[in-house]
């Protein structure tokens, strides 16, 4: 119990210190936490300590995705929904399949299904990169696109990973992948929508903002747990519940309730993200030790990783370039229509 308490206190102190010191050192806080995690993994006393993946997948990710979905700007998300869905669903599927072919070619004994599984792991955008971009001189619309993509691409990748693992035993089927993805997303969207609406229907009748916020902490799990039990994506359900709550809350919850929600969810988001990045760094040390003991050698594996990185960047560039061109065309079309819209507005305002 003492060790558990000390670990919890150190976790909070490290996360707070990284958030304060990161900007002063010229590093993003998530990247600094990853480096701290790597340093902690080198301490002999921590050897043999492993982080259970289910703690991250079932306990922390639903909270983080729900928090991001609730705070997503509604108008921006609606405006760029086509681009966000393309990046978070279509691009992840295409990247996973193409990387599966690459891994099958680079590692002949691997097989296409396991290659797709590896591709699904590396295809989503990295949360560290998104956090770094937030602090840079990047247009707000680009940040919204990346944040919107981050809401769903992890869920898409996990569905692809699950399907590929099943296919490794039963044989790969393209239509099986499509059917599994459609089932997971559809059921998750239905459950998430129902939970989001029911959440607001209950919370708008609770006057105490503290109790209201405590109830909000249960929403991601009320959406994700039954969805996972039904074989669909609990992360997508948590995201949909968050989007429904974020869109409808201004009309159904008082300003005091929304302010309390925002402050508490920002704290939860900071702690959850910090714990995830620390865990990433903490697991990197043992992984490198295991890789160095492999007979193929570290150099070969680094070469495979570099080839996968180059392929991922090329695939993403090929997908994003026409997408940006299309978004620019829409922006130019809106600018061309602006004088006409202003003239009509002025005419309507004239008695």
């Amino acid at each position: 119990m003492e060790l558990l308490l000390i670990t919890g206190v150190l976790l909070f102190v490290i996360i707070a210190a990284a958030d304060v010191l990161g900007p002063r050192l010229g590093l993003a806080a998530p990247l600094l936490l990853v480096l701290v995690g790597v340093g902690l993994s080198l301490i002999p006393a921590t050897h043999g300590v492993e982080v259970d993946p289910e703690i991250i997948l079932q306990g922390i990710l639903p909270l983080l995705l729900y928090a991001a979905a609730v705070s997503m700007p509604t108008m921006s998300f609606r405006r760029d929904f086509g681009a966000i869905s393309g990046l978070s669903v279509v691009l992840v599927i295409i990247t996973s399949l193409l990387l599966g072919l690459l891994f099958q070619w680079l590692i002949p004994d691997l097989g296409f299904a396991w290659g797709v599984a590896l591709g699904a792991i590396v295809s989503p955008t990295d949360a560290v990169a998104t956090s770094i971009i937030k602090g840079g001189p990047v247009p707000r619309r680009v940040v919204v696109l990346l944040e919107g993509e981050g809401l769903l691409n992890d869920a898409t990748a996990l569905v692809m990973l699950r399907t590929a693992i099943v296919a490794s035993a039963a044989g790969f089927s393209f239509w099986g992948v499509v059917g599994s993805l459609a089932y997971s997303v559809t059921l998750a969207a239905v459950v998430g929508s129902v939970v989001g609406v029911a959440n607001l229907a209950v919370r708008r009748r609770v006057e105490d903002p503290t109790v209201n916020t405590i109830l909000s902490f249960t929403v991601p799990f009320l959406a994700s747990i039954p969805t996972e039990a039904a074989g669909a994506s609990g992360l997508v359900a948590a995201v949909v519940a968050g989007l429904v709550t974020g869109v409808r809350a201004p009309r159904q919850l008082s300003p005091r309730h929304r302010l309390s929600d925002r402050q508490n969810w920002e704290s939860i988001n900071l702690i959850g993200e910090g714990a995830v990045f620390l865990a990433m760094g903490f697991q990197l040390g043992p992984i490198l030790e295991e890789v160095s003991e492999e007979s193929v050698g570290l150099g070969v594996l680094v070469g495979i990783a570099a080839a996968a990185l180059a392929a991922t960047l090329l695939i993403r560039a090929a997908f994003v370039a026409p997408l940006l061109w299309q978004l620019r065309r829409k922006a130019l079309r809106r600018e061309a229509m602006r004088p006409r819209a202003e003239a009509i507005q002025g005419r309507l305002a004239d008695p």
Side-chain angles (χ1 to χ4, degrees):
M1 180 59 68
E2 291 179 355
L3 180 61
L4 183 63
L5 291 174
I6 293 173
T7 303
V9 171
L10 286 177
L11 177 67
F12 290 156
V13 171
I14 290 172
I15 291 172
D19 196 62
V20 173
L21 297 177
R24 298 181 182 180
L25 298 176
L27 290 174
L31 186 58
L32 184 59
L33 286 170
V34 171
L35 295 177
V36 171
V38 173
L40 292 175
S41 69
L42 300 178
I43 300 176
T46 63
H47 291 177
V49 178
E50 296 184 359
V51 179
D52 188 351
E54 292 300 319
I55 295 177
I56 305 296
L57 292 175
Q58 306 294 337
I60 298 181
L61 278 184
L63 285 171
L64 295 181
L65 292 177
Y66 178 84
V70 167
S71 61
M72 174 64 61
T74 305
M75 294 300 295
S76 300
F77 187 81
R78 287 178 177 175
R79 179 190 61 194
D80 295 322
F81 180 75
I84 290 173
S85 58
L87 290 170
S88 58
V89 179
V90 179
L91 180 58
V92 171
I93 294 174
I94 293 174
T95 305
S96 300
L97 295 175
L98 292 179
L99 286 180
L101 294 173
L102 175 66
F103 286 129
Q104 185 184 24
W105 177 64
L106 292 174
I107 314 173
D109 297 335
L110 186 65
F112 181 62
W114 284 109
V116 172
L118 281 178
I121 292 172
V122 302
S123 56
T125 50
D126 186 30
V128 176
T130 305
S131 299
I132 292 172
I133 286 175
K134 287 182 185 178
V138 178
R140 176 59 184 167
R141 189 170 185 181
V142 174
V143 176
V144 171
L145 282 172
L146 288 174
E147 288 180 338
E149 179 188 358
L151 291 176
L152 295 173
N153 61 4
D154 287 332
T156 305
L158 286 172
V159 172
M160 288 293 296
L161 176 63
R162 182 187 303 167
T163 305
I165 292 174
V166 173
S168 65
F172 188 84
S173 170
F174 174 79
W175 293 112
V177 172
V178 173
S180 176
L181 183 62
Y183 169 78
S184 296
V185 173
T186 302
L187 182 60
V190 172
V191 175
S193 300
V194 171
V195 171
V197 172
N199 152 51
L200 291 174
V202 172
R203 291 174 56 204
R204 70 185 178 188
R205 293 172 171 81
V206 178
E207 296 183 359
D208 189 338
T210 303
V211 176
N212 203 291
T213 302
I214 291 174
L215 290 175
S216 74
F217 292 157
T218 66
V219 176
F221 303 108
L222 291 175
S224 64
I225 292 175
T227 308
E228 287 287 341
S233 175
L235 297 182
V236 173
V239 168
V240 173
L243 291 174
V244 171
T245 302
V247 171
R248 299 168 66 98
R251 297 192 297 270
Q252 300 193 30
L253 296 181
S254 68
R256 187 173 62 159
H257 287 2
R258 298 202 306 274
L259 181 60
S260 175
D261 272 10
R262 180 178 179 181
Q263 292 174 339
N264 286 283
W265 274 108
E266 285 180 353
S267 300
I268 293 293
N269 191 52
L270 178 63
I271 296 171
E273 281 190 351
V276 169
F277 292 128
L278 272 175
M280 287 171 56
F282 190 76
Q283 295 296 299
L284 187 59
I287 289 174
L288 290 177
E289 290 182 4
E290 293 180 10
V291 166
S292 62
E293 296 173 358
E294 294 291 332
S295 58
V296 294
L298 182 61
V300 175
L301 298 179
V302 170
I304 294 174
L309 173 61
T312 303
L313 293 176
L314 289 174
I315 295 168
R316 188 172 186 85
F319 187 90
V320 169
L323 177 63
L324 293 177
W325 177 77
Q326 183 182 8
L327 291 176
R328 179 167 177 78
R329 279 191 62 189
K330 290 182 179 179
L332 292 175
R333 192 180 308 161
R334 282 195 298 269
E335 288 296 326
M337 293 177 62
R338 186 187 298 273
R340 183 180 177 185
E342 290 177 350
I344 294 174
Q345 185 177 3
R347 189 177 304 172
L348 292 173
D350 188 348

